[in-house]
Amino acid sequence: MRPHLRLRFLAPALLSVAVAACGSDAVAPIAEPLPPLAAATWHTHAAEGQPLPALVAHHLEGGVLVQDFLDSAQLEVTADGRWERKLWMSRYRDQMYASAVPSLEVGTWSATDTAYVFVAEPSGRRFALASLTPGQVVPVPLRAVSEGYIAATLRTVPPEPSIVGSYRVTEVRGQPAPAPIYVFNDYPEDGRLKSIHFIVDSASVQLAGNGRYTHRIHFTEWEGPNGGAPERVRIRFVHTDHGSWSRDGTLVRFTSGWLQNHTFSGTTYDAQRMELLHGLSHGDPPVPVRYARD
């Protein structure tokens, strides 16, 4: 074989040996830590798979059910390696509001090559996040009670305002309250035709953080000439209902726990006003009734 041909065949073999030799002595690249976190405030939008307010803990005390509902929570991260976690919770005993349960935890964070490690002070409690980027949905273990943690979903934008609170009637069928909710003409009584007027004098809706509601309507039944205005009070009455409520965007649904198969719904506006469709009691034709936060 001619020398130059033999070199052409030997060259790939020598190259492969050289590569193999280098590979056996190569050092694995040094892992670089993740980039530093930017300062940001993260707001809780959901907890334990539920929209806020969310049930995050419960136990029995002397045979009484005690429930903790998370109203809101924030995780604040600073660029100098500090963090602060705030929780605002409400405690209910036997379905009744008992007390506020705020919680504060602070500590330091550091970046490793695989995660951001958060260490609480002085407890030393630790949790790690693979990433924390503005605009991202982040599941974070937030402490709820000494027995456990809350799995929360955080975003850098605040959640919609809570509608938990008390509301009072402002309008009935577009008229300022007190106003008629029903008027019946051609009502025969005492040998003549009359008009019967049901006037809503006042009404209120209380939405509790544990998903319960109380609805009260104070109304008066009046009579008057047929087709005319109310002139004489016949009866005064208070209708009370209670049950569970839920929210889906601007839609609010109510399911009575007192009147069988009684439901109604409405729309919430900027967590300050609601327009509900309901009657005086179960089976009544629903009409628009507006409420404003107390």
Side-chain angles (χ1 to χ4, degrees):
M1 180 181 292
R2 287 178 293 182
H4 68 277
L5 291 178
R6 184 167 52 182
L7 289 175
R8 287 174 56 191
F9 283 101
L10 287 176
L14 292 174
L15 180 60
S16 64
V17 172
V19 171
C22 291
S24 61
D25 296 334
V27 178
I30 298 175
E32 294 292 334
L34 294 171
L37 292 173
T41 299
W42 296 79
H43 304 268
T44 299
H45 283 243
E48 300 297 329
Q50 311 159 64
L52 301 183
L55 176 63
V56 295
H58 65 277
H59 64 280
L60 291 175
E61 287 186 4
V64 175
L65 178 63
V66 179
Q67 298 172 303
D68 288 337
F69 286 81
L70 179 66
D71 300 314
S72 64
Q74 291 180 357
L75 175 65
E76 183 176 353
V77 177
T78 62
D80 60 355
R82 302 289 301 176
W83 62 273
E84 180 177 276
R85 190 270 296 135
K86 301 175 184 177
L87 297 181
W88 292 270
M89 293 186 294
S90 296
R91 176 160 294 172
Y92 290 79
R93 297 180 185 273
D94 195 21
Q95 301 292 334
M96 300 297 293
Y97 176 81
S99 63
V101 188
S103 175
L104 173 67
E105 191 172 44
V106 299
T108 60
W109 65 265
S110 60
T112 71
D113 59 332
T114 57
Y116 297 99
V117 179
F118 292 74
V119 181
E121 299 171 346
S123 68
R125 183 178 78 90
R126 302 165 67 90
F127 64 91
L129 301 175
S131 62
L132 196 63
T133 305
Q136 179 185 3
V137 177
V138 181
V140 176
L142 297 174
R143 178 181 288 274
V145 290
S146 59
E147 296 85 358
Y149 302 93
I150 304 170
T153 301
L154 278 65
R155 296 185 177 93
T156 51
V157 295
E160 295 182 356
S162 172
I163 62 174
V164 171
S166 297
Y167 299 79
R168 201 159 292 277
V169 67
T170 59
E171 295 180 10
V172 180
R173 292 182 180 266
Q175 300 183 46
I181 189 169
Y182 302 116
V183 177
F184 302 96
N185 287 302
D186 301 319
Y187 182 77
E189 190 178 67
D190 301 330
R192 62 190 181 95
L193 295 178
K194 301 178 180 180
S195 62
I196 304 298
H197 306 251
F198 289 90
I199 307 296
V200 174
D201 301 311
S202 65
S204 64
V205 180
Q206 286 83 39
L207 304 181
N210 63 344
R212 308 293 296 175
Y213 78 87
T214 301
H215 190 199
R216 292 186 178 89
I217 305 175
H218 297 254
F219 67 93
T220 308
E221 180 184 325
W222 294 67
E223 69 172 62
N226 195 32
E231 294 181 347
R232 185 178 70 87
V233 175
R234 295 163 61 98
I235 189 173
R236 298 185 187 277
F237 194 76
V238 179
H239 170 71
T240 301
D241 179 35
H242 57 80
S244 60
W245 68 271
S246 62
R247 178 184 183 181
D248 184 4
T250 60
L251 177 65
V252 188
R253 295 187 179 92
F254 299 82
T255 301
S256 177
W258 174 249
L259 299 171
Q260 187 175 13
N261 299 323
H262 177 51
T263 63
F264 59 101
S265 62
T267 304
T268 177
Y269 304 95
D270 59 34
Q272 297 297 319
R273 298 168 295 133
M274 291 192 298
E275 182 173 297
L276 305 181
L277 297 173
H278 64 74
L280 291 175
S281 186
H282 183 35
D284 291 340
V287 302
V289 182
R290 290 193 172 186
Y291 295 81
R293 188 185 286 271
D294 280 348

